[in-house]
Amino acid sequence: MVYIAIFDTIDNAKTCCNMNKQLERLNSVRERIDRACIAAGRPPGDVSLLAVSKRHPAEKIMTLNKMGLVSFGENQLQEALEKQKELSTLQLQWHFIGTVQSNKTRALAENFQWVQSVDREKILKRLSAQRPENLEALNICLQVNIDRESQKAGAMPEDIPKLAELAGSLDNIRLRGLMALPRQTNDPQEQHNSFKKVKNLFDQLNSGGYDIDTLSMGMSHDLEVAIFEGSTMVRIGTDLLGKRPE
Ligand SMILES: *Cc1c(COP(=O)(O)O)cnc(C)c1O
């Protein structure tokens, strides 16, 4: 409602209603995160929110940034680069969450603050070698294929320790944690089990001497379960930005 006064034409009134709608969605997602934290006995504010803006136009990112969000997730390099160019005056933090092809690592190393979907040694080495010296170390999450699904990206759980060791030894990347996309299911018990497995792997790395702080898991339909099981970052697209354009 707060925006009404500053718009006077029909077109701008539309923009205004879209902004109200956007603010409602953001508040609702934030409330769900807070409630899930409380239910899990964790401090609200323990979980950060990554807005997954893939396939949505740059204006939506601008709107969400006005509402205080700074971290955005994209899964297609070309699309992300175009939005970054359009939004270059804003201070945003870009996370890559899509499949990483080795011929795309240079552009990722040059233009992103985070790559959450690393699942191979070769990609780790290239990202470190190609990270420009004038930028801070690139934040990395290792993507784990926690339910061993053949069609899905991510390293198998047993391959994670070796990847973590390599990541820890490279100069221009900083290992931050794990990212997972569990099997799609509406069975809450299965959801809990998958997230629990990721959390165990995360705890194992930490007790093995890695100082990692990011457990990236939970999307629109399962953020409550993910937070209950220890997620520190939820990646929300649909419930935050609406249905993705085709
Ligand atoms: C699209 C996507 C999301 C967001 O999914 P929603 O169900 O729209 O919230 C999260 N993580 C990854 C890796 C994605 O590709």
Side-chain angles (χ1 to χ4, degrees), residues 52 54 75 97-98 143 179 181 218-221 235-239 244:
V52 177
K54 64 187 186 196
N75 71 341
I97 58 172
Q143 183 175 353
M179 188 271 262
L181 259 151
M219 319 197 324
S220 293
H221 71 287
R235 309 179 308 268
I236 310 298
T238 312
D239 286 1
R244 280 183 281 280

Side-chain angles (χ1 to χ4, degrees), residues 50 53 72-84 92-98 100 104-117 127 130-132 135-140 172:
L50 179 70
S53 44
F72 293 88
E74 293 281 339
N75 71 341
Q76 296 286 343
L77 177 63
Q78 208 47 48
E79 177 189 338
L81 293 177
E82 281 163 27
K83 289 178 198 174
Q84 289 176 349
L92 303 177
Q93 192 182 75
W94 294 95
H95 294 235
F96 192 74
I97 58 172
V100 182
K104 304 286 169 62
T105 51
R106 181 175 298 279
L108 292 174
E110 289 176 350
N111 295 287
F112 282 76
Q113 284 74 42
W114 287 67
V115 179
Q116 294 203 12
S117 38
L127 288 173
Q130 293 168 340
R131 181 69 169 172
L135 298 181
E136 282 176 20
L138 180 65
N139 297 292
I140 294 289
N172 300 323

Side-chain angles (χ1 to χ4, degrees), residues 200-212:
N200 283 340
L201 198 51
F202 178 77
D203 288 344
Q204 273 172 35
L205 290 175
N206 260 328
S207 54
Y210 296 95
D211 187 16
I212 54 175

Side-chain angles (χ1 to χ4, degrees), residues 67-175:
M67 296 170 184
L69 286 191
V70 292
S71 299
F72 293 88
E74 293 281 339
N75 71 341
Q76 296 286 343
L77 177 63
Q78 208 47 48
E79 177 189 338
L81 293 177
E82 281 163 27
K83 289 178 198 174
Q84 289 176 349
K85 209 163 152 196
E86 214 173 316
L87 300 169
S88 62
T89 58
L90 304 180
Q91 292 285 327
L92 303 177
Q93 192 182 75
W94 294 95
H95 294 235
F96 192 74
I97 58 172
T99 307
V100 182
Q101 291 156 332
S102 54
N103 63 344
K104 304 286 169 62
T105 51
R106 181 175 298 279
L108 292 174
E110 289 176 350
N111 295 287
F112 282 76
Q113 284 74 42
W114 287 67
V115 179
Q116 294 203 12
S117 38
V118 177
D119 61 4
R120 298 184 276 147
E121 285 193 5
K122 181 179 177 189
I123 301 296
L124 276 175
K125 289 181 184 157
R126 290 175 67 95
L127 288 173
S128 179
Q130 293 168 340
R131 181 69 169 172
E133 290 295 337
N134 62 324
L135 298 181
E136 282 176 20
L138 180 65
N139 297 292
I140 294 289
C141 286
L142 299 174
Q143 183 175 353
V144 54
N145 186 351
I146 201 64
D147 293 311
R148 317 183 73 86
E149 295 168 277
S150 55
Q151 79 286 8
K152 209 171 256 181
M156 288 298 159
E158 62 273 21
D159 295 330
I160 291 290
K162 199 156 166 259
L163 282 173
E165 194 182 332
L166 175 63
S169 76
L170 295 169
D171 280 342
N172 300 323
I173 60 180
R174 178 172 168 212
L175 181 63

